[in-house]
Amino acid sequence: ATATAREGRAAMSVRSMEAGDEGQWELPASARSSAREGLMHAVRSLCELRGVKVAEETALETGRKIEEKAYTAAQVDSRTTTGRRPDAETVQIYARKAGRLVVDAVESIEKGGGTSAAKEAGAGAGGVTEFLDLCDGNREFVTAETARELFAPILGVQDPSAQTVKKIKLSTKSFGVDAAEVAAEAFAACRETLEDLDLSDVIAGRPEAEAMKSLKCLCDSVAGLSLKALDLSDNALGEKGIVACSTALTTQKTLESIAFRNIGCSVAACKAINNLLACKQTLKKLHLYNNMSDDEGAFAIASLIETTPKMEDFMMVSSRVKAEGGQRLAKALAGKPLVSLDLHDNILGAETAGALVQTLKDQPRLKHLNLSEACLEDEGTILVCQGLFQAAPELETVSLAANDITDNAVTALAQGLQGKARLRAVFLEENYDIGEEAQQWLRAQLPNVAIRFDEEEELDIDFGKMKI
């Protein structure tokens, strides 16, 4: 194994020098073959040290898959925004990735699971389940060959009427165009049953041009589906990415849920979402999180909300929304059948709280309200409580943490939250000016409600231990 590793390193060095500074980093076939053989011996040796016997054929196939994944990852990482990474660094990336994959493979074999690819391929033998989840905790760059293994539970079903997959999750697998084309085949194969598609975090580590092509391929393939839920979160989209996803947004007219969390949703991207989304009449859930939307982006989202009569679950969190944007959102949400409203970590202030008063008064189904870290202070908190007074009878949780609330707002809190039979938890941590006496008084006013003032406090509530 040591000898073959030395041969591989020598071959790598020669090929690296030949490659020069242009083009894609590559290794000659002889170097890759030596690496695969070395990885095979490493897998067998480590397994034997742990008391597990592995057949040579199994170890060879495992080594081949490990080398393929490591090589794909190294090729992607060899390209940077300013050009090509030095070949010596890329070889180190290749070696480190292969080493980590060897450890993962050995641990999996020791537990009796084989390689992850083998487990995925074997899942189809006894019939396909309703949920195909590729998110196994291991990040990897997916090739067309690997994609066929991952989607084997779907692609291996010969009779279309035998497909049962309703949900697919691709998260943490980075798809190039060739792999995306295989994914498109899988989507088409289960188009009669697929309802929920999670495309979050599927282009990580790819150069922008390649990432946009892959994303477009994945989203174009959605055209023939009738989805209820689509998640595009954790992809560096921006306006370019939203445009790349346009087919999915314009063809899915019966979506009930869509998520754009952590996608770089700028003002232009928010406007594009409003213009492209075709499911406004059916949409019940819209989640935006950790974006740079600002007030103008909130204006565009508010315009969208105005045309969604069934909106139940709205989140626009950590999106740099300030008072003007917050007020527009509050007005747009008035009269919607809300079950959950989350606007935390925005600079909303008392002005937005004032706009929310009427919105909250007309919410008979509201269960969860999160306005933490919203710069409400006492004035805004009192206004929110006025909106909740004798309203929102189904309310279960309220979060008002980190709003600079003092003892002066505690009476309003009690009045706004009393009489709600389903209320189980109120989160008030990081409001350091609520004194101990006021805390005890509020707990006495709401005896059946778990109230947290300390972020380390564990709440014991009716539906179990809740530590947030």
Side-chain angles (χ1 to χ4, degrees):
T2 304
T4 55
R6 280 199 297 268
E7 287 176 24
R9 282 195 294 271
M12 290 177 201
S13 299
V14 171
R15 182 63 187 86
S16 296
M17 288 188 290
E18 290 173 356
D21 295 327
E22 302 300 327
Q24 186 174 15
W25 175 83
E26 294 179 350
L27 291 177
S30 59
R32 295 188 63 188
S33 178
S34 294
R36 285 193 288 270
E37 186 176 349
L39 291 166
M40 175 198 72
H41 288 300
V43 169
R44 291 192 78 185
S45 297
L46 288 172
C47 284
E48 288 176 4
L49 284 172
R50 299 187 181 201
V52 179
K53 293 289 185 181
V54 180
E56 184 175 350
E57 295 79 7
T58 301
L60 185 59
E61 178 64 9
T62 302
R64 184 190 66 78
K65 293 180 185 298
I66 288 172
E67 193 279 332
E68 181 69 29
K69 291 181 180 180
Y71 187 67
T72 303
Q75 280 197 316
V76 172
D77 275 354
S78 72
R79 301 187 295 268
T80 70
T81 55
T82 57
R84 179 169 156 179
R85 192 185 301 277
D87 289 337
E89 289 185 16
T90 305
V91 171
Q92 289 178 349
I93 292 169
Y94 173 66
R96 283 197 297 269
K97 179 66 174 177
R100 287 194 295 269
L101 290 171
V102 165
V103 173
D104 291 343
V106 170
E107 289 179 349
S108 181
I109 291 170
E110 186 180 25
K111 293 174 183 176
T115 65
S116 60
K119 286 188 290 181
E120 291 289 352
V128 183
T129 61
E130 292 189 351
F131 180 21
L132 179 62
D133 186 0
L134 306 188
C135 183
D136 57 5
N138 296 314
R139 288 192 169 275
E140 64 177 294
F141 293 95
V142 180
T143 63
E145 182 182 6
T146 306
R148 291 207 174 274
E149 294 173 354
L150 293 173
F151 288 109
I154 295 173
L155 296 175
V157 177
Q158 300 301 317
D159 181 2
S161 65
Q163 294 284 2
T164 59
V165 171
K166 293 184 177 180
K167 180 177 180 179
I168 298 175
K169 183 175 183 178
L170 309 188
S171 300
T172 71
K173 306 303 180 190
S174 182
F175 284 75
V177 176
D178 55 348
E181 290 172 349
V182 177
E185 287 182 42
F187 301 163
C190 57
R191 60 182 174 274
E192 298 299 327
T193 58
L194 187 60
E195 297 178 346
D196 188 334
L197 182 58
D198 189 338
L199 299 179
S200 62
D201 194 11
V202 293
I203 53 173
R206 303 278 177 181
E208 182 181 285
E210 181 186 8
M212 292 301 104
K213 288 178 182 177
S214 299
L215 195 63
K216 186 177 188 305
C217 181
L218 289 169
C219 288
D220 284 354
S221 67
V222 170
L225 308 179
S226 295
L227 297 175
K228 291 183 179 179
L230 177 64
D231 194 338
L232 295 168
S233 302
D234 299 312
N235 294 304
L237 301 182
E239 184 185 10
K240 289 181 182 178
I242 295 298
V243 172
C245 297
S246 60
T247 300
L249 303 183
T250 56
T251 62
Q252 295 304 301
K253 299 182 179 180
T254 57
L255 274 179
E256 296 179 4
S257 170
I258 193 163
F260 300 98
R261 293 182 289 267
N262 192 34
I263 65 164
C265 200
S266 62
V267 171
C270 287
K271 290 179 178 178
I273 290 171
N274 182 33
N275 292 332
L276 293 170
L277 208 58
C279 60
K280 296 172 183 176
Q281 291 302 306
T282 58
L283 193 62
K284 297 180 180 180
K285 178 179 177 180
L286 174 60
H287 279 194
L288 300 111
Y289 165 76
N290 197 28
N291 292 306
M292 47 187 180
S293 308
D294 217 310
D295 278 347
E296 195 173 347
F299 297 161
I301 298 302
S303 296
L304 189 159
I305 293 171
E306 288 169 356
T307 61
T308 56
K310 297 183 178 182
M311 183 60 64
E312 296 180 353
D313 183 347
F314 179 68
M315 168 195 285
M316 194 166 186
V317 170
S318 304
S319 296
R320 305 183 187 179
V321 180
K322 296 183 279 294
E324 288 188 33
Q327 290 175 77
R328 284 282 293 276
L329 289 171
K331 291 176 181 177
L333 289 163
K336 307 300 178 187
L338 291 174
V339 174
S340 178
L341 175 59
D342 189 349
L343 297 174
H344 85 266
D345 194 20
N346 287 298
I347 313 169
L348 303 179
E351 297 90 345
T352 297
L356 280 170
V357 171
Q358 191 55 47
T359 301
L360 294 174
K361 282 184 178 296
D362 190 25
Q363 294 300 334
R365 301 175 63 221
L366 187 66
K367 292 183 179 182
H368 308 287
L369 176 65
N370 191 345
L371 294 172
S372 293
E373 303 173 87
C375 302
L376 298 182
E377 301 183 334
D378 285 344
E379 181 183 358
T381 301
I382 291 169
L383 287 167
V384 169
C385 291
Q386 288 176 3
L388 293 174
F389 180 66
Q390 294 184 342
E394 301 293 312
L395 200 62
E396 296 179 6
T397 65
V398 177
S399 298
L400 293 166
N403 271 305
D404 293 324
I405 303 171
T406 74
D407 291 359
N408 296 327
V410 170
T411 300
L413 280 167
Q415 292 173 343
L417 299 177
Q418 281 176 332
K420 303 192 190 307
R422 296 180 182 273
L423 187 62
R424 295 292 178 265
V426 178
F427 300 94
L428 291 167
E429 58 267 42
E430 295 186 58
N431 289 298
Y432 301 112
D433 290 325
I434 300 179
E436 186 173 342
E437 185 176 340
Q439 293 179 22
Q440 293 175 353
W441 181 84
L442 184 59
R443 283 194 166 111
Q445 302 305 305
L446 302 170
N448 298 318
V449 180
I451 305 175
R452 189 168 77 176
F453 294 98
D454 184 343
E455 59 185 0
E456 297 299 323
E457 186 176 358
E458 186 174 329
L459 298 187
D460 188 0
I461 52 184
D462 285 357
F463 42 82
K465 293 280 184 181
M466 186 174 183
K467 190 171 184 180
I468 300 177

